[in-house]
Amino acid sequence: MKRYKVRHYRSRIYNPVRGKIIKGVLIAVIVASLFAIGWFAYEPLMTAINEKNKEIIEQDPVPEKPQEPAYEPVEVEFLEKETVAVAVPEEFLYDSTEFYGFLKALDEEVTAVVIDMKTKSGTITYNSDQVSVLAAGAAHENAVDLDTRIRTARNLGFDIIARIYAFEDSTAPYNANDMAIRYESEDGILWLDDSVDNGGKPWLNPYSDTAQKYILDVVYDAVDFEVDAILLEGIRFPENDGMEYAYFGVTAEEVSREEILLQFAKRIYSSVVITDTNIVIGFDSYSFISGSDIYGGNPLSLSADGFSPVIDIDDFIGRKISDDFYFKKLPKDLTEVFAKIYESLGNTEGLDMLPVLDFEGFTKEETAGILSFLEEKGATGYILLYNEAYFTGIPEEPEVPAEPVNPNPNQPAAPVQPTQPAQPTQPAQPSEPEEPEKEPEITQGDDGFDWVDESPGIKDLLP
């Protein structure tokens, strides 16, 4: 028989098995009681909780639906737009009233205007604080408030293209010798692209760092004016039989024309690339297509956002460019000759092209096919060199006022008094003949050319 361990516990014998049974029964009873309480209390408890949540919800304000952010139009880059631009003629630029009237008279299709900041002759049209610009002494005597001009144009809905001529400049070389092309040596006189009698002009030297910095400073001014694009023309060398006498400096012995222009264009582009202003390189299409060396290579390889070949159809008529490109006279369909010119520029696919068109003497009807051709070729638009015949928006001449009508037809009009014949005037007394100016002294140089001394002390080459 199994023995039980006898433990004295308050005068009772403790049986461990019996204790475990009692403990288990008590636990089961307690669990059952809790379950029963929870079962019967669940429904009123949840009802109370739901009522309380409902009360809280009714007291709290209904949250407003978050408003969607207002639509903000995405700004389109200038060269991604369809642009029809017109160059503002010089006679309309320097007078604010004339400028405003010119803009108001443009056709509705015009979306941008070209404003000269540095002209083909080298004139600076605005006031600049740049040291190099001031040193060049090229500011126009009636320099315009360009900021106001730009604001006026923008208020009328136009984009702004600033045109800057680079090395084609006949003004600054007279005031800054280190910028200019010299004759034969660094100490030589100014080199001119023709004789004095034929209107020969000096040029800025593309190899001159001073000249490059001068142009770059004008570009910086254009960026400060927040123009949409800069049309940079005149990135070229002169074209003349006397180029063998042009001295460009020692750098020209090591760096080719093509390379120096590539370096300059890259210098301009890298200085502007982080801004919102586009750089567009302009070049003369006839000179390029005819094989001239003024660009040293292909201007379409210069660093830029876009390109503007300057196309004047008249330049090509009567001139043989190639065996299959010769028009003795203008054809009826101008698109035929224009297409040949444009295709002769080379591969323009993938480039943003904004041609500069000279339509002087042509009507819209005659050039409509050309504009459609450009659109088919993917051009981003075009720039028109202004001529009155092309635009219908030019204000008409004021009408001559009609003769006043007699308000009372029964009463005859007052008779017209005869005018007295004009008295003959005394013949003008002959003026004293002016003393002829002293002819400049002409001497012959070792090269067989004649030299002439001018009053400023600058000798000019005469053929």
Side-chain angles (χ1 to χ4, degrees):
M1 186 177 85
K2 185 177 179 179
R3 288 180 174 274
Y4 290 97
K5 183 178 180 179
V6 179
R7 179 182 295 174
H8 292 281
Y9 188 75
R10 292 185 181 181
S11 302
R12 289 185 295 177
I13 298 175
Y14 179 75
N15 188 336
V17 175
R18 182 182 176 186
K20 289 181 180 179
I21 293 173
I22 295 172
K23 186 177 181 179
V25 172
L26 289 175
I27 292 173
V29 171
I30 292 171
V31 170
S33 300
L34 292 174
F35 178 80
I37 293 171
W39 176 266
F40 292 108
Y42 173 78
E43 184 173 352
L45 180 62
M46 291 304 298
T47 300
I49 292 173
N50 289 337
E51 289 294 333
K52 187 63 177 176
N53 288 339
K54 183 178 179 181
E55 181 180 349
I56 294 173
I57 292 173
E58 288 177 350
Q59 290 177 355
D60 288 344
V62 178
E64 295 182 1
K65 184 179 179 181
Q67 294 183 350
E68 295 183 0
Y71 171 74
E72 295 182 0
V74 179
E75 187 174 350
V76 180
E77 291 234 359
F78 175 75
L79 287 175
E80 294 177 0
K81 301 178 182 179
E82 290 293 331
T83 297
V84 177
V86 174
V88 179
E90 186 174 349
E91 60 265 28
F92 295 114
L93 179 60
Y94 292 102
D95 183 275
S96 58
T97 303
E98 293 283 348
F99 180 77
Y100 181 79
F102 170 79
L103 298 184
K104 288 291 289 182
L106 292 176
D107 284 354
E108 292 182 357
E109 66 194 67
V110 178
T111 63
V113 290
V114 179
I115 299 177
D116 281 323
M117 290 183 63
K118 183 173 181 286
T119 68
K120 192 173 184 179
S121 66
T123 301
I124 301 296
T125 64
Y126 66 101
N127 288 313
S128 174
D129 295 330
Q130 301 280 6
V131 174
S132 64
V133 178
L134 295 173
H140 192 278
E141 59 182 358
N142 295 321
V144 302
D145 180 355
L146 195 56
D147 188 62
T148 300
R149 294 287 190 275
I150 291 174
R151 188 163 57 249
T152 298
R154 287 206 186 281
N155 289 340
L156 292 174
F158 296 108
D159 290 327
I160 309 298
I161 303 173
R163 181 164 56 182
I164 298 171
Y165 281 85
F167 305 111
E168 193 170 0
D169 183 328
S170 57
T171 301
Y174 284 114
N175 302 315
N177 292 337
D178 56 342
M179 292 187 189
I181 301 174
R182 314 303 297 181
Y183 182 82
E184 288 194 329
S185 70
E186 185 176 355
D187 298 328
I189 62 172
L190 285 178
W191 179 91
L192 304 182
D193 60 7
D194 208 335
S195 67
V196 175
D197 289 343
N198 291 332
K201 302 179 296 296
W203 281 63
L204 290 179
N205 183 0
Y207 287 93
S208 166
D209 186 70
T210 308
Q212 289 195 17
K213 180 61 167 60
Y214 170 46
I215 299 163
L216 182 60
D217 284 343
V218 179
V219 170
Y220 283 148
D221 281 344
V223 172
D224 288 342
F225 283 121
E226 298 182 348
V227 300
D228 298 287
I230 296 172
L231 175 59
L232 200 58
E233 291 199 42
I235 303 183
R236 50 166 288 191
F237 285 81
E239 187 172 27
N240 186 270
D241 293 337
M243 282 294 289
E244 64 268 25
Y245 301 108
Y247 180 77
F248 297 100
V250 294
T251 308
E253 300 173 4
E254 303 171 355
V255 181
S256 68
R257 290 187 182 185
E258 179 181 21
E259 184 60 29
I260 197 65
L261 295 185
L262 286 170
Q263 291 177 10
F264 170 72
K266 187 176 181 180
R267 182 180 184 182
I268 295 288
Y269 185 74
S270 60
S271 299
V272 180
V273 68
I274 60 173
T275 72
D276 294 329
T277 303
N278 291 134
I279 295 292
V280 182
I281 300 293
F283 62 95
D284 181 66
S285 59
Y286 174 76
S287 296
F288 172 56
I289 294 172
S290 62
S292 171
D293 193 36
I294 62 175
Y295 298 106
N298 188 345
L300 292 175
S301 62
L302 299 174
S303 300
D305 296 297
F307 299 90
S308 288
V310 182
I311 302 176
D312 182 355
I313 293 178
D314 285 336
D315 287 342
F316 295 85
I317 302 304
R319 295 177 174 178
K320 185 177 180 179
I321 306 301
S322 63
D323 291 338
D324 60 342
F325 186 6
Y326 175 70
F327 289 87
K328 187 176 182 181
K329 61 180 181 180
L330 279 173
K332 273 191 175 182
D333 185 2
L334 294 177
T335 310
E336 180 185 358
V337 61
F338 186 88
K340 192 65 180 178
I341 295 170
Y342 194 82
E343 291 166 358
S344 297
L345 296 174
N347 183 17
T348 60
E349 187 176 353
L351 300 177
D352 285 325
M353 302 295 289
L354 191 66
V356 177
L357 308 176
D358 188 347
F359 283 167
E360 183 64 37
F362 300 116
T363 64
K364 282 187 175 182
E365 291 73 19
E366 292 172 323
T367 57
I370 292 176
L371 304 182
S372 299
F373 170 83
L374 285 174
E375 186 176 353
E376 292 172 4
K377 286 293 182 178
T380 61
Y382 49 89
I383 297 172
L384 292 168
L385 298 183
Y386 181 79
N387 69 83
E388 292 188 7
Y390 189 82
F391 294 94
T392 58
I394 289 298
E396 297 180 356
E397 291 291 332
E399 296 183 0
V400 178
E403 292 292 332
V405 180
N406 184 11
N408 189 355
N410 295 324
Q411 179 179 354
V416 178
Q417 297 294 329
T419 57
Q420 295 293 329
Q423 297 296 322
T425 58
Q426 296 294 328
Q429 295 296 327
S431 58
E432 292 291 333
E434 294 183 2
E435 187 177 1
E437 294 182 1
K438 184 179 178 181
E439 291 292 332
E441 181 181 353
I442 298 177
T443 58
Q444 191 174 55
D446 296 336
D447 53 7
F449 285 85
D450 291 336
W451 295 94
V452 56
D453 279 331
E454 297 284 357
S455 55
I458 300 176
K459 294 179 178 179
D460 297 314
L461 180 62
L462 289 176

